[in-house]
Amino acid sequence: MTQDAQQTAAEDATLAGFRKSIDNIDAALIHMLAERFRITQAVGAYKAKATLPPADPAREAEQIARLRRLAEESELDPEFSEKFLRFIIDEVIRHHEQARREGS
């Protein structure tokens, strides 16, 4: 095996290791999101039954500020973390609105 071929094989093993770690993290993220949505769906059902509004702008603002701080502490772009959280919040609100309609 040439030196280039040996180096490529070693790099491929390294890359494969990185990819395996990424795959494991992606799987954990999906499982965590699924659990989060199970809980927020229960919240939506509760809000519908208690005739509470689907959205809570004050809570959302607190969460965004808290997670931006955590992102900064973790050296993650706070703009990205806010966009990611906003996407999740918007989906949760959509579920809460649906629960409210179905409960009416």
Side-chain angles (χ1 to χ4, degrees), residues 20-40:
K20 183 175 181 180
S21 293
I22 289 167
D23 292 349
N24 289 339
I25 293 166
D26 288 346
L29 284 170
I30 293 301
H31 290 293
M32 292 174 74
L33 283 170
E35 183 62 21
R36 188 185 196 286
F37 277 98
R38 276 191 281 283
I39 295 166
T40 60

Side-chain angles (χ1 to χ4, degrees), residues 36 63-64 67 81-89:
R36 188 185 196 286
Q63 283 294 90
I64 287 171
L67 293 176
S81 66
E82 183 173 343
K83 288 176 187 175
F84 182 73
L85 183 61
R86 174 51 54 197
F87 178 77
I88 292 170
I89 289 171

Side-chain angles (χ1 to χ4, degrees), residues 37-54 92-101 103:
F37 277 98
R38 276 191 281 283
I39 295 166
T40 60
Q41 285 176 334
V43 169
Y46 174 80
K47 284 181 170 185
K49 185 176 180 178
T51 64
L52 296 170
V92 167
I93 291 169
R94 189 179 70 74
H95 290 177
H96 289 188
E97 289 169 345
Q98 182 179 357
R100 187 179 200 180
R101 283 190 304 274

Side-chain angles (χ1 to χ4, degrees), residues 3-15:
Q3 185 175 5
D4 288 342
Q6 289 173 339
Q7 186 176 4
T8 301
E11 288 172 356
D12 287 348
T14 300
L15 183 58

